[in-house]
Every structure is written in C-alpha cells, then in structure tokens.
Amino acid sequence: MTSVAVIGAGYVGLTTATCLAHLGHQVYCAEASAQRLDLLCAGISPIRELGIDELLRDGLASGRLVFGRDNAQAARSAEILFLCVPTPQGDDGHADMSFVEAAVSAVSASLASGTVVVNKSTVPVGSAQRVMDLIGRDDVSVVSNPEFLREGNAVYDFLNPDRIVVGSDDRWAAMRVAQLYSGLRAPVLITTARSAETIKYASNSFLAVKASFANTIAAFCEEVGAESDDVLRAVGMDRRIGAQFLQPGPGWGGSCLPKDTKALVAMGEDAGYDVALVRAAIAVNDAQYRRVLARVTAMAGGCLQGRKVALLGLTFKANTDDLRDSPALMLAASLCAAGAVVRAYDPAVAAGSVLPVGGCEVARSVYEAATGADVAVVATEWEEFSRIEPERLALAMAGSKVLDTRAVLDRGAFVAAGFRFAAIGSPGCATPELELAL
Ligand code: UGA
C-alpha cells in the first residue's frame, strides 16, 4: 500500500484516484471546485464514466479514498503525487501549462523528501524536466506516466491497460511508480521522460491518422462507387492493420485528439521538423466536417435557409456527455449559420439545455427532434439510435431524407419505410457539386 495524492478530480484525476484506491492504495484527491468536492464527498461522481460511481462509493466506504481542497495537505501525506490538471490548447497550438505550473507551485514546498511527482496529464515533451526545475529540489523526483484512457471507458482502460508507460531519468522513481500498478496484468515499459511524453502524443496522433485514413477511404468509395463498410471491414481484418479506429464519421473530436495532434505539429515546428503526415490528418478532418455539411445542404435541396434539420447526437462520441470539440456541434453551428432550423436530440444532453450554438434547440426524444424535419442526420453513434423505428420517424418528419454519418441505422429498414437514405462511404453519398463552392 502506497500513500498517493492526486491533484485534480477531472476524468483523468478521478479515474486515477478511484482506481488506485481500488488497487489498495491510500489516496487523497484534491479538487479546487467546491461544488465538485461536495458531490465527491457525498459519493456522487461529477463525471459520466462507466463504473466510477461504484469505485467512488467503495473507496469512500473503505476509507482508502479521501477528498479535500488543500493541495498542500495532499502533498504532505504523499509518497507519490499525481498531477492530473488540464492542459488545454493554447493560442499557438502548444499545450497551455499554466494549470500544471500553478499546481506545482502550490505543492512544491510541502512535499516530503523522497516524494515522486508524476505527470499524468498530457504535457509537452520536456515537461518532466520543466516540472523538476519548477520544484527546484534535488530530494524530489519527477516521472512521466501518460494515461491512455478513453472518455466513457476510462475505468475499464485504467484497470485493463494494453501497456503501462513510466518515463524518468531516475530509474528508482520510475520503478516506484510502476509498482503502484503491480495488481494489473500489463506490460510495463520504463523509458526516459522524453520518450514517455512522446509516446502519448504519438499514440493519439496515430489514432487520428487512422481515423482520417478511414474518412479518406470512405470519401474515395463515395466517388468511385464502392462501399466503404465492406472495404474498411476487409482492410481491418488484416492483423497488421487491425479493425479499431477504422470507422468513418463526421470527423474526430473531443478534448484530446484535436489538441494533441496540433501540439505534436507545433512541437515538430519548434524542433525544425514538419510532421506533415499528422498535418494532413488534421486537414482531412477539417474537410470531413465540410463534406458532411455539403451533403446535408444537397439533401435539403441545395439551400438550408428555413429548412428543418433534426440532428441526432451532439456529443463528440457516444457514452460521454462531453461536447468539447464535437463535430456534431460544429455541424449544428454551420447549419444554423446557413439559416436552417435545427432541433437536436442527444441522450446525454438535457432537453432545453442552452448550447454554445445559438438557435439550436434540444428536444426530449428523437421523434420530438424530428417533428416536421426535412432531413434527419445521425451525428453521434449512440446505441439508442440503432433502435429508431423508421415508420415512426417517417410519421414525425415532413421530409424523407436521412443521413447516417456513423453507420448506426439499418439502411434496409429505412429504405423499406420509404426513406431516401445516405451514409458516409456509400456511393449514394458522392460529393455534390456544391461542395466545391464551400
Ligand atoms: C483519446 C484516446 O483514445 C485515449 O487513448 C487517450 O487517453 C485520450 O484521447 C486522451 O488523450 O486523454 P477520447 O478522446 O476519449 O480518447 O476519444 P476516442 O475514443 O479516442 O475518440 C476520439 C474521436 O475519434 C471521437 O470523435 C470518435 O468519434 C472518433 N473516432 C474514433 C472515429 O471517428 N472513428 C473511429 O474509428 C474511432
């Protein structure tokens, strides 16, 4: 049992805290927001993560998980201290380190001699050294231990990792952090701090490149008359390639892939290297969202002014309530800007919520969103959408056009119900002329 402090109870920090308590460690988790803290102390998770409520309740009941506001107190009791604060994208594409810097200055004087400080948040290459310099003590070590947690599946990913990466120029400190995970069955890679930091950016960038490749092949299929469902399924069956992250869609989003790919490109520029492949993946992603917009415009008859669009899904992917950098939300903004009347539905967004997109209403159900709509667009792959009844949707809508950007609907059932059905990567979805103008 190790005494651990976690600074920050966001989805990375709270997952780390609850899972380490579950593995038998004594965890103090410091959270700055009083509102979040009240919820946490009452055993209520402020984030939507599968399995986290149970771990939170177990941790509190066993006494192995304690929450508080005081970073310095967290630091005093810790043998190992995790920094899990946000590193949002700065104006120049680089990660904004101000939260990390503030957390470090709040704890550095209180750390006991021999404490290991861990960068868990995604931080630029060279950050372990920077944190070391900020702490300014030679009796404290800094280790990079990047997280590979998908939002919505973070608890599962923490407890069932493909690998654990621990990077430090102090091997003893790296081994101490690696031992925290001895209850898990996963290969542990001990690297330098710079390599561990790069592994995180390289992993997220590869995922982005792979998803952009899927969108590229889907667009190619639309133009040449092939079905990308079949093409990508077969491509993914090659074990050297693998089936995951080959699903075309409206573009990849969220709080990680967009920010980390841009940060990798910016760090490459700083180092005098053009990371052209990742730049291309970002460009394909921007174009993907414009392709979807062009398709909806064409389906609405070439002009969106006054057209009613039902937007099914708002979050950047299913099983999360996160709207940050969501392609669905970008689509909503562009549709509204073009004069469309957009009514959305998302299982994770309460009806009547005020969105950061002016003019887009949030309805209570798929069918309410679809009432009177000319076109319906599935933008997020919620499982609930696979259960939409085509006949009931047809009765609600004024028009009969459906665009499925996530391959969740049963095309045959919709065509049988009289819909004009389009899907990403299917020839019926070929680029309309008007996209060239966008
Ligand atoms: C991502 C990584 O998957 C995690 O390993 C990483 O730890 C995390 O970022 C992070 O840096 O913290 P996450 O942002 O939760 O996790 O989302 P993903 O599940 O990776 O999905 C990202 C985007 O790619 C979503 O918009 C999703 O819809 C899209 N996507 C995914 C596709 O368009 N096609 C696919 O086949 C897969």
Side-chain angles (χ1 to χ4, degrees):
M1 194 270 290
T2 304
S3 182
V4 175
V6 176
I7 309 295
Y11 102 99
V12 172
L14 187 56
T15 304
T16 302
T18 54
C19 289
L20 287 177
H22 175 73
L23 292 177
H25 302 295
Q26 182 64 45
V27 182
Y28 182 108
C29 182
E31 166 58 42
S33 151
Q35 200 189 357
R36 276 173 99 86
L37 199 56
D38 286 348
L39 286 172
L40 289 165
C41 292
I44 302 164
S45 171
I47 55 166
R48 182 188 173 117
E49 275 300 337
L50 213 59
I52 207 151
D53 295 296
E54 217 179 328
L55 290 189
L56 179 57
R57 278 195 300 271
D58 289 355
L60 288 169
S62 67
R64 282 199 301 273
L65 181 59
V66 177
F67 292 95
R69 252 196 120 156
D70 191 349
N71 285 352
Q73 187 186 338
R76 273 192 292 276
S77 59
E79 294 167 74
I80 298 182
L81 178 137
F82 282 84
L83 295 171
C84 299
V85 293
T87 49
Q89 190 185 314
D91 296 336
D92 55 358
H94 291 82
D96 173 355
M97 288 287 283
S98 56
F99 293 101
V100 174
E101 285 161 6
V104 169
S105 69
V107 299
S108 50
S110 310
L111 295 166
S113 186
T115 305
V116 181
V117 174
V118 183
N119 280 336
K120 192 76 175 162
S121 315
T122 304
V123 285
V125 180
S127 293
Q129 186 57 50
R130 189 157 163 207
V131 169
M132 197 73 214
D133 295 342
L134 281 170
I135 294 173
R137 288 172 51 174
D138 56 14
D139 61 340
V140 170
S141 310
V142 178
V143 165
S144 165
N145 172 218
E147 52 85 12
F148 304 102
L149 311 175
R150 292 164 300 166
E151 271 187 52
N153 292 286
V155 169
Y156 178 87
D157 289 347
F158 192 102
L159 297 174
N160 302 276
D162 290 337
R163 76 297 206 194
I164 291 162
V165 175
V166 188
S168 180
D169 305 325
D170 175 344
R171 202 170 166 85
W172 171 85
M175 294 306 289
R176 291 226 45 206
V177 174
Q179 275 158 13
L180 285 178
Y181 301 100
S182 58
L184 301 177
R185 287 162 65 90
V188 177
L189 277 90
I190 307 276
T191 68
T192 64
R194 280 183 172 265
S195 297
E197 288 158 351
T198 303
I199 286 166
K200 176 57 195 269
Y201 285 102
S203 299
N204 272 3
S205 295
F206 186 82
L207 294 174
V209 167
K210 200 171 178 192
S212 275
F213 177 80
N215 285 332
T216 300
I217 295 299
F220 177 83
C221 288
E222 289 169 13
E223 303 299 338
V224 302
E227 292 286 347
S228 76
D229 263 8
D230 293 335
V231 171
L232 289 166
R233 189 179 313 122
V235 168
M237 287 165 92
D238 184 327
R239 273 174 294 170
R240 293 169 303 173
I241 297 171
Q244 291 190 49
F245 258 81
L246 273 187
Q247 182 61 54
W252 36 267
S255 63
C256 305
L257 264 47
K259 133 179 116 61
D260 292 350
T261 45
K262 288 191 192 103
L264 186 79
V265 169
M267 287 186 287
E269 272 166 18
D270 291 347
Y273 179 67
D274 176 13
V275 195
L277 182 63
V278 177
R279 252 192 321 106
I282 297 169
V284 166
N285 201 44
D286 294 343
Q288 185 65 6
Y289 138 79
R290 287 199 301 277
R291 280 183 75 85
V292 173
L293 177 62
R295 185 63 198 167
V296 181
T297 309
M299 290 171 86
C303 175
L304 287 162
Q305 188 61 45
R307 294 306 212 166
K308 291 189 177 151
V309 178
L311 185 63
L312 306 182
L314 286 166
T315 53
F316 80 96
K317 64 173 185 177
N319 304 321
T320 174
D321 53 5
D322 199 341
L323 296 172
R324 285 176 292 176
D325 252 316
S326 169
L329 215 55
M330 279 163 64
L331 185 61
S334 298
L335 291 169
C336 290
V341 179
V342 182
R343 206 185 277 166
Y345 167 71
D346 188 293
V349 182
S353 296
V354 180
L355 296 176
V357 175
C360 175
E361 268 178 51
V362 184
R364 273 172 304 192
S365 70
V366 166
Y367 305 102
E368 188 181 89
T371 304
D374 300 297
V375 183
V377 182
V378 174
T380 309
E381 73 284 20
W382 286 102
E383 211 258 327
E384 179 180 332
F385 298 157
S386 67
R387 296 194 299 273
I388 293 174
E389 297 164 36
E391 292 78 14
R392 201 171 153 200
L393 192 73
L395 279 177
M397 286 176 65
S400 60
K401 291 178 182 156
V402 170
L403 172 62
D404 182 3
T405 73
R406 295 283 198 168
V408 289
L409 304 179
D410 176 349
R411 181 198 305 228
F414 276 79
V415 171
F419 277 99
R420 292 182 58 193
F421 188 90
I424 292 216
S426 190
C429 208
T431 318
E433 285 297 306
L434 97 136
E435 186 188 349
L436 300 172
L438 287 169

